[in-house]
């Protein structure tokens, strides 16, 4: 096999490996912890995704999620937390508060955009 | 959130932070309670909230928050939260703006695409290097180029540099304006380690643009490496234009999925005519207070929920209940805000306002329902979570394979195939398949007077095989009435009824109420009973002046030395019809029989036939005795009856049916049957007249009409079919489209997919899913 073909093959394999690592492995690591107090509070920036996208909450205390939507892309205009039966419209360039009751169960509760493309997790422990 | 309780009492709940123990809680609570103007305060440590009832004339919410802060804890006024209707309106404005912008961009870009196509023609003729390499473009060229050259020979006289430069300028304009958001959004998602449709478009068109840029500015370098310096500018512009057009169509179609909820919001009038100090004032509805008297003229919408205190009319409630006939309303009846007053003028005393009104509750419920997810979506969710990175991987593999295997022009072909893979892949169709069907179906349900609580309820309603009907109040009116009066020989029927009613005045039994109502309707004079005595399970007796009155069953008559034999045949006949016969006697002589029954609702029979037509097993469940229950069941064409069920037993019966492997819907009222509704796979609660209990059950029938249950099930089945079609189409589209785009058909058939055609297919696939869901708006539901 000529050198150029070998290079393209190796380059392609490396690119595929990197893409899968970047989207499936690297993104999963960062977990933010909500600020303490009787009311746990955390701010989530909404722009092409949720930042932070994984949030650890303490069980048994209410939490306040402040979604700061810094874009007009319609993809992120709605927030859905299926486990909590929450669906909220997030106005563009505004901060929207979503309260999570203290009664929320332990475990991982996903939150997504209206179509389920953008994802985040609430980890209640 | 502040709510007005009365002119001198408001209530507010606000978050308090920093409380860590019961002592903190106590301190905040005491401080609030001791504040002048505070009538009541409750501080909850667990939720970190203070709920305060206060006199707004004495203290403001700001001052309340200040009071808490002075104690050393944090507090703030709640962010003004929007009502469901306000959220929907804001959402609609955003959606409309998005549609308009997409349309503008699509029109501009498709215009630019046409110009770019014309500019590409001369490049492709004469085998000059730099010809457009898209197979679709080559096909178009063969047919368009010769007439174009005849019409505009000057175009063909232009140099390659000029043509490519003009194409480059056009592409730059498109990328910087109309297509810009694909790249900025893709980048924003990338930074968050996530990827979506924008990523695919950005990578696909970005790769084609980069290749073209090198071909534009360093064609010699490419030629020296054996790569054809083709430009793909027109393909990039076409792809972006077609996707924008698809997005615009999709935005418009998505807007239609929530048209039902918009229609409901539009029902709410902005102003109300309120009587204040004897004068009629036209006020914004938000300023109407509970207890205000509101004047409603013929032809107007009722502005608020309330009780009619004066006047009468026929009111069109079809928009909320689906009932096509106007409903007669008199003083004492309830009127619902948003319905249309047809004939007379009346006045209502406002009872429920703002978020508590029936209309607002229905809108809230619908928004929640539309945001819910159906379990059928789980698979689509799992796939869409990994979709984009997988497709990018496939695109890279495609390029590599073409590079390794293609006999000629490996780079150009590999690139075209990889771009086609990226562009044809459409995660949107999968994402839209279920939610759009849920939105349209819940909206359609509301128009039919059926409130469905969400995707999961829809899915369960779509897979039922058994419907359990609670008899009283569901199949029947739920209000016993006198059906027959059988006087003994020589007795006046009115005398019989008057005596029975006089006796029953002291009783609280439901049967007594029926007798009293019948007597009042006939305007009979009633005596005051004394010495009333009830024997449980037998009957009642009392004195009315000199007359000793008795009412009860045959055994009770015999207890008092009376022989009921002369009326025994009538008793048996009435009993077999499911009625409850009551013997009445006075001063040692039988007066006759009064039969009481809970009349079957006129609509029940047809509705039950419809349920059976849908292939459902119908079971009648009742606390009545078997004979009554069977009589009702016979009249309604129901085969299975479970009688003598205690209130707790309904849950057991539903559970028993479930253990037989059946998927059971329970239809009952939301109050007494709540546990059975919860136990059933689907709880359908039946609203009582104007009082819509929107909170109970998975499905609420706004009108007390069993047809609603049949409609809910039929609509759900159709919706499930739509969801399955959508999901199948979305999966099949990608499963077939991606390999074809990669060139799987090329070795055997020589078929290659043009990236431009791929973008058209992608744009149409999501539009077709939304359009398929929209068909539910017009589905025939009997």
């Amino acid at each position: 096999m000529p050198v150029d073909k070998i290079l393209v093959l190796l380059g392609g394999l490396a690119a595929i490996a990197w893409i899968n690592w970047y989207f499936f492995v690297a993104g999963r690591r960062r977990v933010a912890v909500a600020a303490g107090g009787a009311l746990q509070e955390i701010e989530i920036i909404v722009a092409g995704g949720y930042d932070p996208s994984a949030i650890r909450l303490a069980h048994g205390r209410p939490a306040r999620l402040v979604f700061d939507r810094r874009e007009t892309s319609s993809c992120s205009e709605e927030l859905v937390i299926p486990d909590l039966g929450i669906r909220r419209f997030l106005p563009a360039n505004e901060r929207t508060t979503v309260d999570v009751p203290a009664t929320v169960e332990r475990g991982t509760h996903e939150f997504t955009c209206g179509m389920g493309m953008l994802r985040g997790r609430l980890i209640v422990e | 959130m502040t709510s007005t309780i009365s002119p001198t009492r408001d209530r507010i709940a606000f978050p308090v932070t920093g409380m860590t123990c019961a002592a903190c809680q106590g301190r905040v609570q005491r401080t609030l309670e001791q504040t002048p103007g505070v009538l009541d305060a409750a501080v909850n440590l667990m939720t970190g909230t203070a709920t305060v009832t206060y006199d707004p004339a004495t203290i403001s919410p700001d001052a309340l928050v200040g009071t808490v802060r002075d104690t050393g804890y944090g507090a703030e006024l709640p962010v003004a939260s929007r009502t469901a209707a306000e959220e929907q309106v804001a959402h609609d404005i955003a959606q409309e703006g998005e549609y308009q912008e997409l349309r503008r961009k699509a029109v501009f870009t498709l215009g630019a695409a046409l110009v770019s196509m014309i500019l590409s023609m001369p490049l492709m003729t004469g085998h000059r290097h730099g010809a457009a390499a898209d197979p679709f473009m080559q096909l178009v060229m063969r047919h368009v180029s010769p007439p174009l050259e005849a019409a505009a020979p000057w175009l063909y006289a232009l140099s390659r540099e000029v043509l490519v430069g003009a194409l480059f300028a056009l592409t730059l304009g498109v990328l910087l304006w109309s297509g810009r958001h694909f790249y900025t959004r893709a980048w924003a998602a990338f930074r968050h380690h996530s990827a979506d449709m924008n990523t695919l478009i950005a990578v696909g068109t970005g790769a084609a643009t980069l290749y073209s840029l090198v071909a534009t500015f360093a064609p010699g370098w490419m030629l020296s490496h054996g790569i054809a310096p083709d430009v793909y500018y027109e393909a990039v512009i076409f792809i972006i234009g077609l996707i924008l057009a698809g997005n615009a169509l999709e935005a418009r179609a998505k807007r239609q999925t929530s048209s039902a909820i918009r229609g409901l919001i539009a029902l709410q009038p902005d102003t109300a005519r309120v009587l204040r100090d004897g004068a009629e004032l036209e006020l914004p509805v938000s300023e109407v207070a509970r207890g205000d008297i509101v004047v409603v003229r013929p032809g107007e919408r009722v502005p608020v929920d309330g009780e009619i205190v004066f006047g009468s009319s026929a009111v069109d409630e079809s928009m909320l209940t689906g009932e096509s006939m106007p409903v007669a309303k008199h003083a004492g009846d309830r009127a619902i805000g948003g319905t249309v007053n047809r004939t007379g003028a009346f006045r209502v005393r406002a009872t429920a306002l703002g978020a508590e009104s029936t209309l607002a509750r229905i809108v809230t419920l619908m928004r929640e329902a539309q945001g819910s997810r159906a379990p059928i979506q789980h698979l689509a969710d799992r796939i869409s979570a990994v979709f984009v990175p997988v497709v990018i991987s496939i695109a890279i593999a495609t390029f590599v394979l073409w590079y390794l295997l293609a006999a000629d022009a490996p780079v150009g072909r590999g690139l075209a195939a990889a771009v086609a893979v990226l562009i044809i892949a459409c995660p949107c169709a999968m994402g839209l398949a279920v939610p759009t069907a849920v939105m349209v179906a819940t909206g359609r349900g509301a128009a039919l007077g059926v409130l469905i609580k969400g995707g999961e309820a829809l899915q369960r309603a779509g897979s039922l095989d058994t419907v359990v009907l609670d008899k009283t109040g569901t199949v029947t009116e739920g209000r016993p009435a006198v059906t027959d009066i059988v006087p003994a020989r020589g007795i006046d029927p009115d005398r019989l009824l008057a005596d029975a009613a006089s006796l029953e005045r002291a009783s609280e039994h439901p049967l007594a109420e029926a007798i009293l109502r019948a007597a009042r309707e006939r305007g009979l004079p009633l005596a005051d009973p004394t010495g009333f005595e009830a024997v449980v399970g037998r009957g009642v007796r009392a004195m009315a002046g000199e007359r000793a009155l008795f009412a009860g069953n045959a055994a009770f008559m015999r207890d008092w030395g009376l022989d009921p034999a002369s009326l025994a045949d009538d008793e048996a006949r009435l009993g077999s019809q499911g009625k409850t016969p009551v013997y009445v006697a006075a001063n040692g002589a039988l007066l006759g029989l009064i039969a009481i029954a809970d009349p079957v609702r006129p609509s029940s029979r047809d509705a039950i036939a419809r349920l059976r037509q849908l292939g459902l097993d119908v079971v009648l469940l009742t606390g009545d005795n078997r004979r009554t229950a069977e009589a009702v069941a016979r009249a309604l064409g129901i085969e299975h009856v479970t009688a003598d069920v205690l209130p707790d037993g309904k849950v057991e019966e539903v559970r028993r049916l479930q253990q037989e492997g059946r998927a059971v819907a329970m239809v009952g009222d939301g109050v007494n049957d709540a546990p059975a509704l919860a136990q059933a796979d689907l709880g359908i609660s039946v609203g009582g007249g104007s009082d819509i209990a929107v909170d109970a059950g998975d499905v609420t029938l706004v009108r007390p009409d069993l047809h609603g249950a049949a409609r809910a099930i039929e609509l759900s089945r159709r919706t499930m079919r739509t969801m399955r079609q959508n999901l199948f189409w979305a999966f099949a589209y990608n499963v077939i489209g991606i390999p074809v785009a990669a060139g799987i058909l090329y070795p055997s058939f020589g078929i290659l997919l043009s990236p431009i055609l791929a973008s058209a297919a992608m744009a149409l696939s999501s539009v077709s899913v939304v359009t398929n869901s929209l068909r539910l708006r017009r589905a025939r539901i009997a």
Side-chain angles (χ1 to χ4, degrees), chain B residues 117 121 124-125 135-149 156:
Chain B
M117 194 170 83
M121 293 298 161
M124 288 190 271
T125 46
F136 170 71
M137 287 301 299
Q138 285 170 0
L139 180 79
V140 172
M141 188 202 74
R142 274 201 293 279
H143 292 94
V144 177
S145 196
L148 184 69
E149 189 166 9
Y156 285 72

Side-chain angles (χ1 to χ4, degrees), chain A residues 29-103:
Chain A
R29 288 195 191 145
R30 285 167 40 235
V31 177
V33 179
L39 181 74
Q40 312 176 76
E41 196 161 347
I42 190 154
E43 194 171 300
I44 298 156
I45 295 167
V46 183
Y50 303 106
D51 188 13
S53 61
I55 295 141
R56 185 164 290 138
L57 300 175
H59 178 69
R61 283 190 284 144
R64 170 164 293 181
L65 313 176
V66 181
F67 286 88
D68 186 358
R69 182 166 167 236
R70 296 184 184 170
E71 63 177 356
T72 50
S73 161
S74 66
C75 294
S76 61
E77 71 187 5
E78 266 180 311
L79 172 81
V80 184
I81 313 182
D83 290 357
L84 305 180
I86 289 174
R87 179 193 183 92
R88 289 293 292 276
F89 174 65
L90 308 178
N93 303 314
E94 277 184 39
R95 290 153 61 89
T96 308
T97 303
V98 175
D99 284 326
V100 176
T103 49

Side-chain angles (χ1 to χ4, degrees), chain B residues 31-79:
Chain B
T31 309
L32 280 170
E33 280 168 351
Q34 287 160 7
T35 306
V38 170
L39 305 168
D40 181 43
V43 178
N44 188 322
L45 177 65
M46 283 301 284
T47 57
T49 49
T51 308
V52 184
T53 310
Y54 62 100
D55 176 1
T58 314
I59 190 162
S60 70
D62 275 330
L64 287 169
V65 167
T67 306
V68 175
R69 286 197 181 139
D70 289 344
T71 62
Y73 297 95
E76 58 181 314
L77 284 180
V79 189

